[in-house]
Amino acid sequence: MKVLLGIIIIILIWIFCDFLLGRKKHMRIARKEESTFLYGSLDIFPHGPELMADFFNELKQAKAHIHVLFYIVKKDQISKEFLSILKKKAQEGVQVRLLLSRLGSHKVSRDTISALKEAGVEFAFSNRLRFPFLFYSSQVRNHRKITIIDGTIAYLGGFNVAKEYVDQDPKLSPWRDYHLKISGESVPFIQRVFLKDWKEYGGVDLLGDDALFSKNAPGDFLHQLIPTEAGQLEEIFVERIKAAKTSILIGTPYFIPSKRVFATLLEAIHRGVRLRVIVPAKSDHILVQEASFPYLRRLLIAGAEVFEFKNGFYHAKTCIFDEKICDIGTANFDKRSIFLNKEINCYIHDPKYISRVEDIINKDLLDSKPLLLADLTKPNFFRSFKESIAGAISLFL
């Protein structure tokens, strides 16, 4: 028994040191990057079936190159259709590069990967274990969900490729999410983000290939793109919240903010900023709801409004500050996206487009029910027990 206890203690010490040192190294080598303010055409898809129909159609029209990065691709029918399109385009002579998360896309089999490569698709997994920080590297995940087609069209947002995203999972349907289709000046920047990840995980540097970058005409809407990793997102959230004067709206499937971000939110409420938060009424992962309850409880006490989305599962990732800046991207409002994941968000600065997004959000608010403080303060031993566990591991949820 003493030997077993000693082994457990050694393992825990190793995990702690591995994570701490790995994070310090990651923070040291991570470079802050953001686009300039650019003009582009933006379309938004809140429904999976409409998004996939448009997405698959654009993939089929590709002439030169397709670059795709997803966190989740599975083994179901919609995933097979997606991979089939990529194989066909590669066989037609289109350059196709597919980068998937090893964890999120673990259902993509070796046989499937071999078939992709035989068809001419260049394939790589992100999130490989790396010495000497094995535990830390296992937790850092590329959560960016972006596609670039012929250097002229890009997609970015919360959707992945699996049946639940197209309303084919009864437990989570209908799936609500926000995904942008982008054309214009910012597409080359998104291309560069992909190619940097491809260099890291695919082992090939294509950043100097001018043929992959198009000079696109500007669109109508002013926006900025900011990729983040290793804690960079925390500073962005803090700056935006501090600058807010009248209102903040947050839509997220997982509300588990860092201490600094949460303290800044409370300060905003105390200076009179109206805070509204939309979260799902149902959960798609164990303990994520329980991890959010202590934060939501304190927000309600401070005067915030919290809404639980009831019409399916809410997976959207958005923030709107003073109706002047709208953030739509891949990052959740949680510690994992803030500190561990590689993410990319689009910050829209056009009042007309923000009004369009607000119309979608207002529909989601109508499909939601206010969460009351009484709902979270009723004695419930099982909920309290799960909250304590969730709080201890909230960084890794």
Side-chain angles (χ1 to χ4, degrees):
M1 186 67 181
K2 290 182 179 180
V3 173
L4 179 60
L5 182 61
I7 292 173
I8 293 173
I9 292 173
I10 291 172
I11 291 173
L12 290 175
I13 292 172
W14 167 73
I15 288 175
F16 176 80
C17 294
D18 177 294
F19 186 85
L20 182 64
L21 296 174
R23 182 180 177 187
K24 284 185 176 180
K25 179 182 178 181
H26 193 182
M27 293 175 68
R28 185 173 67 251
I29 65 175
R31 296 289 179 264
K32 185 177 180 180
E33 185 178 11
E34 59 186 44
S35 75
T36 57
F37 287 89
L38 301 165
Y39 284 92
S41 297
L42 304 174
D43 202 357
I44 184 169
F45 292 88
H47 302 116
E50 289 85 349
L51 169 66
M52 290 302 163
D54 185 89
F55 179 49
F56 287 2
N57 181 63
E58 293 290 2
L59 289 175
K60 292 174 183 177
Q61 304 305 314
K63 305 299 183 192
H65 39 85
I66 296 171
H67 293 155
V68 183
L69 192 169
F70 276 117
Y71 182 66
I72 295 174
V73 173
K74 293 187 177 178
K75 202 177 180 179
D76 49 27
Q77 190 56 44
I78 190 74
S79 301
K80 291 177 181 177
E81 183 180 355
F82 164 65
L83 296 175
S84 178
I85 293 171
L86 296 187
K87 287 190 288 186
K88 184 176 180 182
K89 296 309 296 184
Q91 290 166 341
E92 292 173 2
V94 174
Q95 297 178 43
V96 180
R97 297 178 180 94
L98 176 61
L99 180 59
L100 301 179
S101 164
R102 182 176 292 278
L103 179 69
S105 299
H106 66 277
K107 291 188 177 181
V108 177
S109 66
R110 291 182 179 180
D111 289 342
T112 298
I113 295 170
S114 295
L116 286 165
K117 290 181 177 179
E118 287 175 7
V121 175
E122 297 180 49
F123 179 91
F125 274 126
S126 61
N127 316 124
R128 295 191 299 270
L129 296 181
R130 293 182 175 179
F131 288 101
F133 307 115
L134 294 178
F135 179 72
Y136 181 78
S137 63
S138 74
Q139 296 304 309
V140 175
R141 296 164 193 170
N142 195 326
H143 196 245
R144 295 167 185 158
K145 296 171 282 290
I146 55 178
T147 295
I148 308 95
I149 301 172
D150 289 340
T152 58
I153 295 172
Y155 291 86
L156 178 159
F159 282 98
N160 287 286
V161 182
K163 66 179 182 179
E164 58 265 33
Y165 298 96
V166 289
D167 299 344
Q168 293 177 12
D169 183 344
K171 294 180 179 179
L172 297 172
S173 293
W175 188 279
R176 191 66 165 177
D177 221 324
Y178 306 155
H179 212 91
L180 295 174
K181 181 181 183 181
I182 304 171
S183 59
E185 294 179 325
S186 57
V187 176
F189 181 86
I190 303 172
Q191 181 83 291
R192 187 168 295 277
V193 171
F194 175 88
L195 292 177
K196 285 185 176 181
D197 286 338
W198 186 258
K199 178 182 177 181
E200 180 178 357
Y201 300 112
V204 179
D205 186 355
L206 297 169
L207 288 161
D209 188 345
D210 292 339
L212 298 177
F213 297 92
S214 300
K215 292 184 178 180
N216 302 323
D220 296 326
F221 304 116
L222 183 67
H223 60 282
Q224 184 182 30
L225 293 154
I226 305 181
T228 55
E229 59 181 305
Q232 295 167 342
L233 185 59
E234 183 179 51
E235 191 62 38
I236 295 171
F237 279 154
V238 168
E239 288 179 2
R240 295 284 190 268
I241 295 166
K242 283 185 174 180
K245 293 180 172 56
T246 59
S247 64
I248 300 170
L249 184 140
I250 299 168
T252 180
Y254 320 117
F255 188 85
I256 313 172
S258 69
K259 288 183 179 179
R260 188 174 171 218
V261 169
F262 188 65
T264 311
L265 282 175
L266 291 176
E267 290 171 3
I269 296 172
H270 293 154
R271 67 172 184 269
V273 175
R274 181 189 186 190
L275 174 62
R276 291 178 294 168
V277 178
I278 308 173
V279 293
K282 62 178 67 173
S283 174
D284 67 332
H285 292 300
I286 188 171
L287 295 178
V288 289
Q289 275 192 322
E290 287 77 14
S292 73
F293 287 159
Y295 300 103
L296 297 178
R297 193 179 289 118
R298 290 184 63 187
L299 288 185
L300 289 169
I301 292 172
E305 301 165 78
V306 180
F307 300 88
E308 288 189 319
F309 185 79
K310 295 286 188 178
N311 185 25
F313 181 67
Y314 188 79
H315 193 251
K317 303 129 183 0
T318 189
C319 299
I320 298 180
F321 304 95
D322 290 342
E323 300 182 347
K324 295 179 179 179
I325 302 175
C326 176
D327 167 7
I328 296 176
T330 69
N332 298 308
F333 207 85
D334 67 359
K335 294 177 185 177
R336 172 166 285 283
S337 283
I338 290 172
F339 294 122
L340 292 174
N341 289 350
K342 291 188 174 186
E343 308 281 3
I344 182 169
N345 285 24
C346 179
Y347 297 86
I348 303 165
H349 293 258
D350 186 278
K352 290 183 180 179
Y353 201 86
I354 293 173
S355 177
R356 179 181 174 184
V357 175
E358 287 179 323
D359 288 342
I360 294 172
I361 293 175
N362 286 334
K363 169 65 170 60
D364 292 342
L365 286 169
L366 291 175
D367 286 331
S368 302
K369 179 182 177 182
L371 179 66
L372 304 178
L373 183 59
D375 299 328
L376 295 180
T377 55
K378 294 177 183 176
N380 187 320
F381 173 79
F382 190 51
R383 184 197 65 212
S384 299
F385 177 69
K386 290 196 290 184
E387 280 188 32
S388 64
I389 296 174
I393 61 173
S394 59
L395 178 61
F396 306 107
L397 292 175

